[in-house]
Amino acid sequence: MTAIKWLEEHYADEFVKGVKDIDSLAGIYVKSEEVAMVPREKASLEAHRRYIDIHVPLQGAETIGWADCGKLKYSRGYDDDKDIEFFGDAAMTALHVAPGQIAVFFPDDAHAPNIGLGNHRKLCIKIPVKFSGC
């Protein structure tokens, strides 16, 4: 609830790239990113064990590939320092997310963000959770 309330209050704020605490006691933070989009065939599925991701496009829509993490076969290994695991599998489906919409990914949701053309601006809100992995 804290992340959604923050998003409602700050969605229209001036865009500034970087990382900002939303609730330091709960470990919730937001990454403001200006990202180069990639073609679908170059987008890698990723998953996180310690965070739920809320993707919020601000300028330009994005497509995000999705797959059930438990059904993936080609892990490239989990990086504990960066809390990320990449996969060589193809996405099972794709979500088209426009400004004004959000996409929520739990640790068992592998996702391939930033699919499209050009650049776009987005927020990625990170909410800590406990998860053992795919």
Side-chain angles (χ1 to χ4, degrees), residues 16 22 24 33 39 41-42 51 54 62 65-66 83 88-89 96 102 108 116 122:
V16 177
I22 291 174
S24 57
E33 305 171 320
E41 61 274 6
K42 292 196 177 195
Y51 290 92
I54 302 176
E62 75 174 306
W66 176 89
D83 182 41
D89 306 71
H96 304 287
I102 66 172
D108 54 351
K122 69 185 287 184

Side-chain angles (χ1 to χ4, degrees), residues 51-94:
Y51 290 92
I52 293 169
D53 278 4
I54 302 176
H55 290 246
V56 185
L58 299 174
Q59 176 187 1
E62 75 174 306
T63 298
I64 304 173
W66 176 89
D68 179 342
C69 192
K71 295 183 179 176
L72 299 176
K73 297 180 183 177
Y74 303 106
S75 172
R76 296 181 186 150
Y78 176 70
D79 183 331
D80 188 54
D81 291 336
K82 295 180 181 177
D83 182 41
I84 197 161
E85 182 173 5
F86 288 103
F87 298 90
D89 306 71
M92 296 173 178
T93 191

